[in-house]
Amino acid sequence: MTDSVSSGSKARHNTLAKTLASEFETLGCAVKHEFSEVTLDVPGGSLLEVASRLRDDEAFQFEVLVDVCGVDYSAYGNSEWVTNEASSSGFGRGVESGGDGHRGEGERFGVVYHLLSISLNQRLRVRVRVDEAQPIVASVTTVWKSAEWFEREAFDLYGILFDGHEDLRRILTDYGFVGHPFRKDFPLQGNVEMRYDAEKGRVVYEPVSIEPRTLVPRVIREDNRYLEESQQRQDPADA
Amino acid sequence: MPEIRNYTLNFGPQHPAAHGVLRLVLEMDGEVIERADPHIGLLHRATEKLAESKPFNHSIPYMDRLDYVSMMCNEHGYVMAIEKLLGVEVPERALYIRTMFDEITRILNHLMWIGTHALDVGAMTMFLYAFREREDLMDCYEAVSGARMHAAYYRVGGVYRDLPDEMPKHENNKFRNDAEIAQKNENRQGSLLDFIEDFTDRFPRMVDEYETLLTDNRIWKQRTVGIGVVSPERAMQLGFSGPMLRGSGIAWDLRKKQPYAAYRNMDFDIPVGHNGDCYDRYLVRVEEMRQSNRIISQCVEWLKRNPGPVILSDHKIAPPHRTGMKEDMEELIHHFKLFTEGYCPPPGEVYAAVEAPKGEFGIYILSDGANKPYRLKIRAPGFAHLAAMNEMVKGHMLADVVAVIGTMDIVFGEIDR
């Protein structure tokens, strides 16, 4: 995509990355510019200040909060199929689910905000990391009203709490659901299943009877093409 | 003095006007809504979690089942995100095919919307008219993919296959006589593109018919004018997109502002509303159908003139041709690796958004370099729209709730995911 529209947007995002770096680096924020998208990593304490400045400052004008999404980094970089021992143990493809026990770096949870500026036609991703012991992030509902349901969703699926949210209830899961299903330690097939019990005359919950299985193992390839590319991507000329 | 108090009304979860499984808890003062609390998630299937357990390609069919009336647009958002992550360029013909089918999908979606919206508000005929044209467009889906709804036609690096040279025809059956069958097959004599071209010639007159039924209809206007008014500032604050945003007077369309596929070469206009009420959003969507029709005919013209590949020839991403696999070891290995393991994109994160019929449909992929996405987030336009339900219906009558649900163009496949 090398025509005027996308090159115009590339130039805009270059300036955006520079402005962000000069404005927010004193607050401990880090700016990343990859895949022609700008990411701003914000420490939890200054989220509200950064958010309201991103909305109101002339240089940013991010009027729309497009999306809020929770992330559980605890299994980041976890590969289920490390093939180092394949020659000694034969070519068995059986995989124990759970992977190599690799734990992602940094705090366990992240909240990712996607912002859009309609006036300046630019996008920004803002990320906050929180630890497992106290997964509390300031709610941005006062800055963007649309955060209300998105934060409820992140709470429901990951158990991340949003300080200042007026109505932090579950939203997607069933009434009376236990656990936070999108956490990496929550099994894909769930913990309980339900059926109608004719004798009792009501619906009963039982431990799940489906066996977990891996159809395609999770593989991470050390690909030289991408190693070179990622060095290029962080080229100062691009950022 | 009798005691007057508010009461709570349960709307749904099964209600014909709820467009799926929506439970609305309405706090009413007489017939006036004080507070609306939508309970969603009754159709939650954890699509995102499922996608995290599968190689990238396996999740394309799940995308169809999100917003199940604009199937290909969802696929488009998903494959675009992966292509961005992989850094691959799609062949030009595939871009035009995607543009054309995105617009066919938009018409499909808007026809569904106009039919059900009018049906909810009391105009039965509209539904029958809209489904007449939907039939033709679903035949186009069927001709390229074999499926009338859940196509899985878009693939990473292009589309599954080129457009067919022959449009499938109706066969003889005991329910219709030969003359009727011949008449139905009249516009199916040529290729799929001829069939679509014939459709684009007919379609503007069809839209005129819809407008005759509704635009100046007194009852329709009484039910929609001044209902669910959203100011431009509130629309942005509430995270609206698509026709909901344009109905409030903001000329924002990703196809124009952040063009993808072949939209930068297309000539079309963005309709914008004035008042931000249900009627304006109706007008915007009707005009969008006409504009989509224009885009489709431009694509048809281009596609007739420019043959070429429709998917990448890089067999690390797109499967090799079957005849090649019979003769070439390399192809066979590629095929095996692609279908047993898939491909590993570089670690990183991308967000790709398309202008789906309902608004901005975005896909956020966080990859740690594995053959499966580490985190996939689907940004469904309807989710943000439904979140504004309380604000939009407050102070309106119970019957207006139905009009507001209709104008939001809600589909629970994408809201509950």
Side-chain angles (χ1 to χ4, degrees), chain A residues 20-21 23-31 40-43 46-47 50:
Chain A
L20 283 169
E23 287 272 323
F24 294 122
E25 245 159 29
T26 47
L27 290 170
C29 302
V31 182
L40 182 71
D41 278 294
V42 181
S46 41
L47 176 68
V50 173

Side-chain angles (χ1 to χ4, degrees), chain A residues 1-3 5-6 12 32 34-37 39 55 63-78 80-81 93 112 114 116-119 121-123 125 127 141-150 152-153 157-158 167 169 171-175 180-188 214-221 223 225-226 229 233, chain B residues 23 35 37-42 44 46-50 52-55 58 84-87 89 234-240 245 250 252 254 256-261 264 314 316 336-337 339-342 344-353 360 364 366-380 383-384 386-388 391 415-417:
Chain A
M1 288 174 210
T2 50
D3 76 340
V5 184
S6 61
R12 269 201 307 280
K32 246 197 316 190
E34 276 188 345
F35 299 103
S36 57
E37 291 178 19
T39 311
R55 188 192 61 183
E63 308 100 339
V64 183
L65 175 72
V66 174
D67 187 34
V68 179
C69 130
V71 183
D72 177 0
Y73 283 93
S74 63
Y76 191 86
N78 198 334
E80 280 174 339
W81 195 14
R93 298 291 192 238
V112 180
H114 283 95
L116 168 70
S117 164
I118 283 179
S119 352
N121 191 7
Q122 58 193 13
R123 286 181 188 275
R125 177 182 303 123
R127 185 192 359 246
T141 44
T142 47
V143 187
W144 296 286
K145 172 91 170 152
S146 55
E148 221 166 81
W149 273 29
F150 287 120
R152 274 178 70 184
E153 185 191 318
L157 303 180
Y158 288 95
D167 188 22
R169 285 175 293 157
I171 186 164
L172 287 178
T173 51
D174 200 0
Y175 304 111
H180 299 288
F182 276 33
R183 289 186 173 188
K184 289 287 175 182
D185 51 12
F186 192 94
L188 184 65
T214 306
L215 292 177
V216 180
R218 192 181 161 80
V219 189
I220 298 180
R221 299 274 175 212
D223 196 324
R225 291 173 301 171
Y226 299 141
E229 264 178 38
R233 272 205 309 276
Chain B
R23 180 178 172 210
R35 198 174 80 96
D37 179 19
H39 288 208
I40 63 166
L42 293 114
H44 180 57
T47 305
E48 296 159 359
K49 179 122 179 155
L50 284 171
E52 286 166 18
S53 71
K54 289 175 171 31
H58 291 198
K84 199 170 178 184
L85 195 60
L86 289 165
E89 292 275 336
R234 286 312 289 169
M236 290 195 285
Q237 179 69 211
L238 292 166
F240 281 11
L245 191 61
I250 299 171
W252 177 261
L254 292 178
K256 281 270 193 218
K257 305 286 178 178
Q258 299 174 0
Y260 52 95
R264 55 174 63 83
D314 178 358
K316 298 221 182 296
F336 178 74
K337 287 299 280 181
F339 284 95
T340 52
E341 184 181 307
C344 297
E349 47 194 337
V350 289
Y351 178 82
E360 176 174 331
Y364 168 58
L366 173 63
S367 161
D368 56 354
N371 56 342
K372 306 171 179 183
Y374 184 75
R375 168 81 165 114
L376 174 78
K377 168 76 205 236
I378 299 154
R379 193 274 172 189
F383 190 82
L386 189 63
E391 190 167 325
I415 292 173
D416 292 345
R417 284 159 288 154

Side-chain angles (χ1 to χ4, degrees), chain B residues 91-384:
Chain B
E92 202 176 8
R93 188 173 164 86
L95 292 179
Y96 276 85
I97 294 177
R98 283 182 183 178
T99 310
M100 182 172 82
F101 270 97
D102 272 14
E103 294 309 313
I104 287 179
T105 308
R106 193 177 315 277
I107 295 182
L108 268 173
N109 176 80
H110 283 4
L111 285 174
M112 179 81 185
W113 158 80
I114 203 176
T116 50
H117 185 20
L119 186 66
D120 292 346
V121 171
M124 175 82 205
T125 322
M126 201 52 247
F127 192 76
L128 304 173
Y129 275 45
F131 271 62
R132 182 186 57 189
E133 274 73 69
R134 265 174 71 85
E135 205 57 33
D136 283 341
L137 294 174
M138 284 165 120
D139 285 348
C140 298
Y141 262 52
E142 192 177 1
V144 291
S145 72
R148 290 167 68 77
M149 287 186 74
H150 302 307
Y153 178 55
Y154 293 9
R155 298 294 159 91
V156 176
V159 294
Y160 169 58
R161 63 171 184 186
D162 206 347
L163 305 170
D165 292 329
E166 201 182 330
M167 185 71 192
K169 296 180 186 61
H170 288 279
E171 285 173 4
N172 288 335
N173 59 53
K174 58 186 173 184
F175 302 107
R176 294 184 194 281
N177 61 37
D178 291 350
E180 274 178 322
I181 300 273
Q183 195 216 341
K184 276 180 152 300
N185 282 335
E186 212 170 283
N187 50 16
R188 289 162 195 263
Q189 298 305 318
S191 67
L192 170 70
L193 285 173
D194 293 330
F195 180 77
I196 297 176
E197 192 175 22
D198 174 69
F199 179 85
T200 56
D201 292 340
R202 283 182 288 139
F203 190 61
R205 284 200 309 282
M206 312 284 190
V207 183
D208 292 342
E209 283 182 15
Y210 312 148
E211 288 218 71
T212 333
L213 280 170
L214 292 180
T215 305
D216 290 323
N217 183 322
R218 188 161 48 92
I219 304 169
W220 177 253
K221 286 180 90 165
Q222 280 169 347
R223 291 298 305 275
T224 54
V225 174
I227 304 295
V229 180
V230 183
S231 70
E233 295 75 31
R234 286 312 289 169
M236 290 195 285
Q237 179 69 211
L238 292 166
F240 281 11
S241 52
M244 295 290 286
L245 191 61
R246 294 192 283 275
S248 294
I250 299 171
W252 177 261
D253 190 321
L254 292 178
R255 294 174 293 170
K256 281 270 193 218
K257 305 286 178 178
Q258 299 174 0
Y260 52 95
Y263 282 112
R264 55 174 63 83
N265 305 325
M266 295 293 146
D267 179 25
F268 65 102
D269 302 317
I270 312 175
V272 172
H274 270 294
N275 309 313
D277 58 2
C278 292
Y279 187 67
D280 275 23
R281 288 186 283 268
Y282 154 76
L283 292 176
V284 164
R285 287 195 175 104
V286 168
E287 185 54 31
E288 273 185 20
M289 287 201 269
R290 295 183 193 277
Q291 298 300 330
S292 295
N293 198 54
R294 269 176 74 191
I295 300 174
I296 294 173
S297 57
Q298 290 168 51
C299 288
V300 169
E301 200 205 333
W302 191 94
L303 286 167
K304 280 192 168 174
R305 282 185 287 108
N306 296 281
V310 294
I311 193 158
L312 283 180
S313 50
D314 178 358
H315 298 316
K316 298 221 182 296
I317 295 164
H321 202 267
R322 194 145 278 274
T323 49
M325 275 160 50
K326 307 275 186 203
E327 289 155 7
D328 192 353
M329 191 65 194
E330 189 104 338
E331 305 274 71
L332 191 64
I333 295 169
H334 272 130
H335 179 270
F336 178 74
K337 287 299 280 181
L338 189 60
F339 284 95
T340 52
E341 184 181 307
Y343 40 79
C344 297
E349 47 194 337
V350 289
Y351 178 82
V354 293
E355 184 74 27
K358 294 180 171 62
E360 176 174 331
F361 179 87
I363 295 282
Y364 168 58
I365 295 180
L366 173 63
S367 161
D368 56 354
N371 56 342
K372 306 171 179 183
Y374 184 75
R375 168 81 165 114
L376 174 78
K377 168 76 205 236
I378 299 154
R379 193 274 172 189
F383 190 82

